[in-house]
Amino acid sequence: MSYQAWHDIIGGNSSILLIVDHASAFVPEDIDLAIDKRLYDEHVAVDKGVQTLGEQLCQALQCNGVFAAQSRLVVDLNRDENDFLGLMPAISDGYVIHGNTGLTADEKKARLSRFYHPYHQHIDDIIQKQRPRLIISLHSFTPCLKSDLNCYRPWQIGLLYNNDDRATQIAIPLLKQAQLVVGENEPYSGRILNTTMNRHAENNRIPYLLFEIRQDMLEEANTIGNWCAILKKVINETLTSLKNK
């Protein structure tokens, strides 16, 4: 069955490439996850708010964007391909994902071949052709895990990185100047969860910004617009600083 695991936005600014691994909650008809449909609106299925924010950022920055076209429950594109527990989770934040339980090795390989490998190869091809000066990775996180109601995450935005923090250390002060509560490698550590940026940014020695925005701050059109304005300014100033170094 023919299927494209991403959709692109084409812009004229080759300096920046924006990537959104968890943009969609879509599940192809021939995959039955056997879960309550309400879960498709939850963070276990999609990074809420990032599709709209990413599209607005591409327009504001006039840059290219790559957006995943299926739910992270089908395959999590920001996991190592050997991390089968994380790639196709049987349990996510306490929810059983019945359609992912008992997957055979061949079924897992089929999903990788259909979604994961084409998506990352497409990004590889874009980077080889475009050679961006800065890569933006856009995610969102839930304020509180349903499996741990006592764990409230106070950060409004986090910046994640593994070994290359060149862009991050420029951007953090800029975000703090905007009176934001900023987490460095919070609420997750980029030294653990950084697969897409490890492959496409760090391996190519391209500076990057991996933004994690709290989902309750991306619920309204006006707040998404505000985030777009803030991030546009931060991204442009970071890029200028990198060029001057």
Side-chain angles (χ1 to χ4, degrees), residues 3 18 62 64 107 109 135 146-147 167 194 218 220:
Y3 182 84
L18 185 142
Q62 290 298 297
N64 294 335
E107 288 171 328
K109 287 177 62 176
I135 296 177
K146 286 183 170 56
S147 58
N194 205 56
L218 295 173
E220 305 292 339

Side-chain angles (χ1 to χ4, degrees), residues 174-188:
L174 297 173
L175 289 167
K176 289 182 176 179
Q177 288 173 19
Q179 305 301 308
L180 294 170
V181 181
V182 184
E184 183 175 346
N185 268 339
E186 299 284 0
Y188 317 106

Side-chain angles (χ1 to χ4, degrees), residues 10-198:
I10 307 301
N13 180 4
S14 63
S15 295
I16 300 169
L17 174 64
L18 185 142
I19 300 172
V20 190
D21 291 326
H22 303 142
S24 176
F26 177 73
V27 178
E29 291 183 0
D30 60 324
I31 293 179
D32 182 11
L33 295 178
I35 58 175
D36 190 316
K37 292 190 185 323
R38 290 177 294 180
L39 288 186
Y40 294 127
D41 293 324
E42 295 290 336
H43 67 278
V44 296
V46 62
D47 278 6
K48 294 192 287 186
V50 295
Q51 173 90 31
T52 301
L53 177 57
E55 290 171 350
Q56 290 187 15
L57 272 172
C58 283
Q59 182 176 6
L61 296 165
Q62 290 298 297
C63 68
N64 294 335
V66 181
F67 294 73
Q70 63 284 315
S71 172
R72 67 200 302 170
L73 293 178
V74 174
V75 60
D76 190 332
L77 300 166
N78 193 35
R79 298 278 186 162
D80 186 271
E81 65 179 284
N82 296 312
D83 177 15
F84 286 121
L85 290 177
L87 274 171
M88 302 156 208
I91 298 177
S92 183
D93 196 13
Y95 297 110
V96 178
I97 314 303
H98 301 283
N100 287 346
T101 62
L103 288 174
T104 66
D106 286 343
E107 288 171 328
K108 292 174 180 177
K109 287 177 62 176
R111 284 200 200 174
L112 288 175
S113 296
R114 182 178 176 186
F115 305 107
Y116 187 95
H117 294 309
Y119 174 82
H120 284 291
Q121 184 61 55
H122 177 64
I123 296 173
D124 283 338
D125 294 343
I126 288 177
I127 289 174
Q128 184 175 7
K129 179 180 179 180
Q130 177 181 335
R131 201 60 193 179
R133 293 179 177 269
L134 181 65
I135 296 177
I136 306 300
S137 179
L138 196 59
H139 293 263
S140 68
F141 65 94
T142 181
C144 182
L145 293 172
K146 286 183 170 56
S147 58
D148 186 2
L149 296 177
N150 293 319
C151 178
Y152 181 74
R153 295 159 165 178
W155 309 281
Q156 294 170 304
I157 185 170
L159 282 88
L160 277 58
Y161 59 90
N162 185 6
N163 296 311
D164 186 348
D165 67 346
R166 286 175 292 171
T168 298
Q169 297 306 328
I170 297 169
I172 286 177
L174 297 173
L175 289 167
K176 289 182 176 179
Q177 288 173 19
Q179 305 301 308
L180 294 170
V181 181
V182 184
E184 183 175 346
N185 268 339
E186 299 284 0
Y188 317 106
S189 172
R191 303 192 190 284
I192 299 172
L193 292 175
N194 205 56
T195 295
T196 297
M197 289 301 96
N198 285 342

Side-chain angles (χ1 to χ4, degrees), residues 208-227:
Y208 65 95
L209 294 171
L210 194 168
F211 294 116
E212 285 269 5
I213 301 171
R214 210 172 65 207
Q215 289 177 359
D216 61 341
M217 309 198 77
L218 295 173
E219 293 178 345
E220 305 292 339
N222 65 323
T223 56
I224 292 176
N226 290 340
W227 275 108

